[in-house]
Amino acid sequence: QTRLAESGGGSVQPEGSLRLSCVVSGYRYPFDRHCIAWFRQDLGKEREVVAAIYRGTGTPSYTDSVKGRFTISPDEAWRTVYLQMNSLKVEDTAIYYCALLYGSMCSLSGSDFPVWGQGTQVTVSS
């Protein structure tokens, strides 16, 4: 059974940085056929995709509000996928989740992802 575990959240001031980690364990699908995405959800708001990356191509996708500030990247073995977050803003405050989608394509819709981590809180405030 595939499991995801996020870590790295915390409290920072605006313009600060954090690096989130998503550790993948128990994965048995063909090694190059999955997509990892980071989503976030704040209280009273809808869940939104932040970034996604497909192992087959390594091509990342980002939501417009984080382009140029966030970077999604895997380690060499794709056992950990990172989300480097720079120039953080108050509006980035949320619980951040990583999710995994099996198959030959990526998705930006949370409903397509069957495997989720427990989430890690990111709070940006002065």
Side-chain angles (χ1 to χ4, degrees):
Q1 181 178 357
T2 301
R3 291 184 174 85
L4 306 178
E6 305 95 333
S7 63
S11 296
V12 296
Q13 294 185 339
E15 295 303 313
S17 297
L18 284 173
R19 188 177 78 160
L20 306 184
S21 299
C22 174
V23 176
V24 183
S25 61
Y27 180 74
R28 297 182 182 276
Y29 209 76
F31 75 97
D32 61 349
R33 295 186 179 180
H34 67 270
C35 171
I36 298 283
W38 285 95
F39 293 82
R40 66 186 179 187
Q41 187 169 21
D42 198 11
L43 289 174
K45 298 182 181 179
E46 292 188 358
R47 181 177 60 194
E48 65 171 342
V49 65
V50 176
I53 188 164
Y54 176 56
R55 182 167 184 172
T57 63
T59 302
S61 298
Y62 301 94
T63 193
D64 287 345
S65 63
V66 307
K67 285 180 180 177
R69 300 188 298 123
F70 290 12
T71 302
I72 186 171
S73 63
D75 67 3
E76 186 173 347
W78 281 76
R79 292 302 181 192
T80 302
V81 177
Y82 303 99
L83 184 67
Q84 178 67 43
M85 306 187 296
N86 299 327
S87 301
L88 282 161
K89 303 177 180 181
V90 172
E91 51 264 42
D92 293 319
T93 295
I95 298 175
Y96 283 70
Y97 302 88
C98 64
L100 184 147
L101 169 64
Y102 303 108
S104 58
M105 61 183 295
C106 216
S107 172
L108 301 182
S109 174
S111 60
D112 291 332
F113 288 76
V115 184
W116 290 79
Q118 82 287 351
T120 185
Q121 176 71 48
V122 172
T123 303
V124 185
S125 69
S126 55

